[in-house]
Coordinates of all heavy atoms in Angstrom, one line a residue:
K723 N 19.7 3.5 3.6 CA 20.9 3.5 2.8 C 21.6 2.2 2.8 O 21.5 1.4 3.8 CB 21.9 4.6 3.4 CG 21.3 6.0 3.5 CD 20.9 6.5 2.1 CE 20.2 7.9 2.2 NZ 19.7 8.3 0.9
G724 N 22.2 1.9 1.7 CA 23.0 0.6 1.6 C 22.1 -0.6 1.2 O 22.7 -1.6 0.9
K725 N 20.8 -0.4 1.1 CA 20.0 -1.5 0.6 C 18.7 -1.0 0.1 O 18.3 0.2 0.3 CB 19.8 -2.5 1.7 CG 19.1 -2.0 2.9 CD 18.9 -3.2 3.9 CE 18.2 -2.7 5.2 NZ 18.0 -3.8 6.2
N726 N 17.9 -1.8 -0.5 CA 16.6 -1.4 -1.1 C 15.5 -2.2 -0.4 O 15.3 -3.4 -0.5 CB 16.6 -1.7 -2.6 CG 15.2 -1.4 -3.2 OD1 14.3 -1.1 -2.6 ND2 15.2 -1.5 -4.5
P727 N 14.7 -1.5 0.5 CA 13.7 -2.2 1.2 C 12.6 -2.8 0.4 O 12.0 -3.8 0.7 CB 13.1 -1.1 2.1 CG 13.5 0.2 1.5 CD 14.8 0.0 0.8
F728 N 12.4 -2.3 -0.9 CA 11.4 -2.8 -1.7 C 11.8 -4.2 -2.3 O 10.9 -4.9 -3.0 CB 11.1 -1.9 -2.9 CG 10.3 -0.6 -2.4 CD1 10.5 0.6 -3.0 CD2 9.3 -0.7 -1.4 CE1 9.8 1.7 -2.6 CE2 8.6 0.4 -1.0 CZ 8.9 1.6 -1.5
K729 N 13.0 -4.6 -2.2 CA 13.4 -5.9 -2.6 C 12.9 -7.0 -1.7 O 12.9 -8.2 -2.0 CB 14.9 -6.0 -2.7 CG 15.5 -5.3 -3.9 CD 16.9 -5.6 -4.2 CE 17.5 -4.9 -5.4 NZ 18.8 -5.3 -5.8
D730 N 12.4 -6.6 -0.5 CA 11.8 -7.5 0.5 C 10.3 -7.6 0.3 O 9.6 -6.6 0.4 CB 12.1 -7.0 1.9 CG 11.8 -8.0 3.0 OD1 10.8 -8.7 2.9 OD2 12.6 -8.1 4.0
V731 N 9.9 -8.8 0.0 CA 8.5 -9.0 -0.3 C 7.6 -8.6 0.8 O 6.4 -8.2 0.7 CB 8.2 -10.5 -0.8 CG1 8.4 -11.4 0.4 CG2 6.8 -10.6 -1.3
R732 N 8.1 -8.7 2.1 CA 7.3 -8.3 3.2 C 7.0 -6.8 3.2 O 5.9 -6.4 3.7 CB 8.0 -8.7 4.5 CG 8.2 -10.2 4.7 CD 9.1 -10.6 5.8 NE 10.5 -10.1 5.6 CZ 11.5 -10.4 6.4 NH1 11.3 -11.1 7.5 NH2 12.7 -9.9 6.1
V733 N 8.0 -6.0 2.8 CA 7.8 -4.6 2.7 C 6.7 -4.3 1.6 O 5.8 -3.4 1.9 CB 9.1 -3.9 2.4 CG1 8.8 -2.4 2.1 CG2 10.1 -4.0 3.5
R734 N 6.8 -4.9 0.5 CA 5.8 -4.7 -0.6 C 4.4 -5.1 -0.1 O 3.4 -4.3 -0.3 CB 6.1 -5.4 -1.8 CG 7.5 -5.0 -2.4 CD 7.7 -5.5 -3.8 NE 7.6 -6.9 -4.0 CZ 8.7 -7.7 -3.9 NH1 9.9 -7.2 -3.6 NH2 8.6 -9.0 -4.2
E735 N 4.3 -6.2 0.6 CA 3.0 -6.6 1.2 C 2.5 -5.6 2.2 O 1.3 -5.3 2.3 CB 3.0 -8.0 1.8 CG 1.7 -8.4 2.3 CD 1.7 -9.8 3.0 OE1 2.8 -10.5 2.9 OE2 0.7 -10.2 3.6
A736 N 3.4 -5.1 3.0 CA 3.0 -4.1 4.1 C 2.4 -2.9 3.4 O 1.4 -2.4 3.9 CB 4.3 -3.8 4.9
F737 N 3.1 -2.4 2.4 CA 2.5 -1.2 1.7 C 1.1 -1.5 1.2 O 0.2 -0.7 1.3 CB 3.5 -0.8 0.6 CG 4.6 0.2 1.0 CD1 5.5 -0.2 2.0 CD2 4.7 1.4 0.3 CE1 6.5 0.7 2.3 CE2 5.7 2.3 0.7 CZ 6.6 1.9 1.7
Y738 N 1.0 -2.7 0.6 CA -0.3 -3.1 0.0 C -1.4 -3.1 1.1 O -2.5 -2.5 1.0 CB -0.2 -4.4 -0.6 CG -1.3 -4.8 -1.6 CD1 -0.9 -5.3 -2.9 CD2 -2.6 -4.8 -1.3 CE1 -1.8 -5.7 -3.8 CE2 -3.6 -5.2 -2.2 CZ -3.2 -5.7 -3.5 OH -4.1 -6.1 -4.4
R739 N -1.0 -3.8 2.2 CA -2.0 -3.9 3.3 C -2.4 -2.6 4.0 O -3.4 -2.5 4.6 CB -1.4 -4.9 4.4 CG -1.1 -6.3 3.9 CD -2.4 -7.1 3.9 NE -2.1 -8.5 3.7 CZ -3.0 -9.5 3.5 NH1 -4.3 -9.1 3.5 NH2 -2.7 -10.7 3.3
A740 N -1.5 -1.6 3.9 CA -1.7 -0.4 4.7 C -2.6 0.6 3.9 O -3.1 1.6 4.5 CB -0.4 0.3 4.9
I741 N -3.0 0.2 2.7 CA -3.8 1.1 1.8 C -5.3 0.6 1.9 O -5.6 -0.5 1.5 CB -3.3 1.1 0.4 CG1 -1.9 1.8 0.4 CG2 -4.2 1.9 -0.5 CD1 -1.2 1.7 -0.9
D742 N -6.1 1.5 2.3 CA -7.6 1.2 2.4 C -8.2 1.6 1.1 O -8.6 2.8 0.9 CB -8.2 2.0 3.6 CG -9.6 1.6 3.9 OD1 -10.3 1.0 3.0 OD2 -10.1 1.9 5.0
I743 N -8.4 0.7 0.2 CA -8.9 1.0 -1.1 C -10.3 1.4 -1.1 O -10.8 2.2 -1.9 CB -8.7 -0.2 -2.1 CG1 -8.9 0.2 -3.5 CG2 -9.6 -1.4 -1.7 CD1 -8.0 1.3 -4.1
N744 N -11.1 0.9 -0.1 CA -12.5 1.3 0.0 C -12.7 2.7 0.4 O -13.6 3.4 -0.1 CB -13.2 0.3 0.9 CG -13.3 -1.1 0.4 OD1 -13.4 -1.3 -0.8 ND2 -13.3 -2.1 1.3
L745 N -11.8 3.2 1.2 CA -11.8 4.6 1.6 C -11.4 5.5 0.5 O -12.0 6.5 0.3 CB -10.8 4.8 2.8 CG -10.9 6.1 3.5 CD1 -12.3 6.3 4.1 CD2 -9.9 6.2 4.6
I746 N -10.5 5.0 -0.3 CA -10.2 5.8 -1.6 C -11.4 5.9 -2.5 O -11.7 6.9 -3.0 CB -8.9 5.2 -2.3 CG1 -7.7 5.4 -1.4 CG2 -8.8 5.8 -3.7 CD1 -6.4 4.8 -2.0
R747 N -12.0 4.7 -2.7 CA -13.2 4.7 -3.5 C -14.3 5.6 -3.0 O -14.9 6.4 -3.8 CB -13.7 3.3 -3.6 CG -15.0 3.1 -4.4 CD -15.7 1.8 -4.1 NE -16.1 1.7 -2.7 CZ -16.3 0.5 -2.0 NH1 -16.2 -0.6 -2.7 NH2 -16.6 0.5 -0.8
D748 N -14.6 5.6 -1.7 CA -15.7 6.3 -1.1 C -15.4 7.8 -1.0 O -16.3 8.6 -1.2 CB -16.1 5.7 0.2 CG -16.6 4.2 0.0 OD1 -16.9 3.8 -1.1 OD2 -16.6 3.5 1.1
R749 N -14.2 8.1 -0.5 CA -13.9 9.5 -0.2 C -13.2 10.3 -1.4 O -13.7 11.3 -1.7 CB -13.0 9.6 1.0 CG -13.6 9.0 2.3 CD -14.6 9.9 3.0 NE -15.1 9.3 4.2 CZ -14.5 9.3 5.4 NH1 -13.3 9.9 5.5 NH2 -15.1 8.7 6.4
V750 N -12.2 9.7 -1.9 CA -11.5 10.4 -3.0 C -12.2 10.3 -4.3 O -12.3 11.3 -5.0 CB -10.0 9.8 -3.1 CG1 -9.3 10.5 -4.2 CG2 -9.3 9.9 -1.8
M751 N -12.7 9.1 -4.6 CA -13.3 8.9 -5.9 C -14.9 9.0 -5.9 O -15.5 8.8 -6.9 CB -13.0 7.5 -6.5 CG -11.5 7.3 -6.6 SD -10.7 8.5 -7.8 CE -11.4 8.0 -9.3
R752 N -15.4 9.4 -4.7 CA -16.8 9.6 -4.6 C -17.7 8.5 -5.1 O -18.7 8.7 -5.8 CB -17.2 11.0 -5.2 CG -16.5 12.1 -4.5 CD -16.8 13.4 -5.2 NE -16.2 14.5 -4.5 CZ -16.8 15.5 -3.8 NH1 -18.1 15.4 -3.7 NH2 -16.2 16.4 -3.2
G753 N -17.2 7.2 -5.0 CA -17.9 6.1 -5.4 C -17.8 5.7 -6.9 O -18.3 4.7 -7.3

């Protein structure tokens, strides 16, 4: 409350870094 964490570039990078795109490709999208 009182601020927007997404205005901090470190938060946006953290979200990016936390997502395993290869796992999404292999498991969710079946390659």
